Structures are given as C-alpha cells and as structure tokens.
Amino acid sequence: MSITINALRHDTYYFFLKQIKNILFISLAIACINITIDTFIQPDVHIMSIIEEKNFINSNSLLDLINNMNQAEKYELFKYSILKIIMLLISKTLLLGGIITLILSSLEKRNKPITFLVYFLYKFIPSIFILNCLTAIIIQLGFMFLIIPGILLSILLSLSPIIFSFKKHGLIDSMCSSVYISWKYINIIGPSILFWMIGRFFLTIIFSNFCFFNKNIIFFILNISTNMLFSFLIVYLFRFYMLISRT
C-alpha cells in the first residue's frame, strides 16, 4: 500500500474539519492553562523588563546579559527558565494527550462516556510527559551543536508519542521505532515537521509585532494558533502511523 503526502493531507484536513470544534476547545483550554501558569511563574518586574527589551539575535547577547547580572538576578532568570521549560512540556503533553484521546475515541464505533476518556487521559498523561522530557532533552542537545541535527532529531522522534499511544511499546521502544520508521519515510514525515516549525516561527514573528493589543491577549491568541497548528501535525502523524501499521 503506497502512502502519499497528498492522501495524508486530504485525510488530515477531513478529520481536522470534522473535529474542529473539539480541537478548538482543547486548544483554548491549553492556552488558558498556559496563561494561568505563566502568570504565576513570572519573575521580578526588573528581570522581565530586561528580558523583553533585550533582542537575543545570537548567543553572545544572552551571555552578555547574564554576565551583567548580579547573583540574585541570575538565580531569578534561571528559576524562570526552568519553570518556563516545565510549562511548555506540560502544555505540549496535555495537547498531545487531548488530541490523541480525541482521535482514539473517534475511531471507536461506540461513543465512549466522558468519564472513560478522562480516566484514559489521566493514565496516559504521566508517561507522555516523561516521553516528552526525554525527546526534548535529546532534541535540544542536537540544537546545541548545530541547527540541522536538532531538526533531524525532531523529525526522527516525532512519532514517539503516537507509537506509544497504541500501548504496544515502552517509552524507549517507542523512540527507537520512531527513529526507524521516520528515517525510512523521511520524505513524508520531514516536510510536515518543517512546515510546523516554519509555521510556528512565522506565527511568533507576526504576533510579536502586534503592539496595539494587550500582551496577554496576544500571548493567548498566539497560544491558540500554535496549538491548532500542532494539533494538525498530530493528526497527520497519527494518520500516517495508522496506514503504516496496516502494511
């Protein structure tokens, strides 16, 4: 059975439009959670003003900023960075879990009660969070050396949560299977990951230039937009793995 990008894109569009209300609701909920967490973890006003006013064009500008800070400011920046990373991992985990649960429930011929879906998500989330932490560490190590290894690792590990959701593999086995399958079908998976990365980059650039609205509103809309874009990618990858599993 041959798998083409056009066929996958068509199936993804069909499911995405059919479930647009549910996907939008999940994206809105995750965006609200992000706003709430970000409000609680924001550092001192002085640190935030430095972060917002400084343009980090390269790593040297970030190093200059850190070198000009005192110990208390360095500690606040470090604590904020760690909490921000945890927040991003939590939001990604919840979005992944929510969309995958939505897809799995739609595949069932009988409608599952909401209590069953919540229970499934509750059991599913901790493992996905650990998997996201592992893949994030590996991908960031790739980006630390050069951009290309980071992008390649993002492509190779992209199927890990999808494979794990089928409950046939452990965390490490899911990552290894993802690397094998993604490398074999990199011509199909690669463009979708690149499209998601480029789309997220342009959305961030566009919304960061909106100076006429409150920054919290812009952050909220940006979160919804990136969540919707990531949801589309999840559906695409899930459909791809379903077709691969049948061959």
Side-chain angles (χ1 to χ4, degrees), residues 137-147 149-150:
I137 291 170
I138 295 171
I139 291 170
Q140 289 307 313
L141 287 174
F143 277 113
M144 283 176 64
F145 293 102
L146 284 171
I147 295 177

Side-chain angles (χ1 to χ4, degrees), residues 59-75:
S59 59
N60 291 330
S61 60
L62 179 59
L63 291 174
D64 291 339
L65 170 66
I66 295 173
N67 289 331
N68 292 327
M69 287 181 170
N70 57 42
Q71 286 301 119
E73 290 174 338
K74 288 179 181 178
Y75 173 74

Side-chain angles (χ1 to χ4, degrees), residues 2-18 187-189 191-192 195 231-233 235-240 243:
S2 61
I3 302 174
T4 63
I5 294 178
N6 288 334
L8 277 172
R9 188 169 61 240
H10 176 269
D11 293 344
T12 304
Y13 277 136
Y14 176 78
F15 180 87
F16 194 85
L17 293 176
K18 186 178 179 181
N187 61 316
I188 295 177
I189 296 178
S192 64
F195 173 79
S231 300
F232 189 87
L233 176 65
V235 176
Y236 180 92
L237 294 176
F238 200 101
R239 178 57 180 166
F240 167 79
L243 295 174

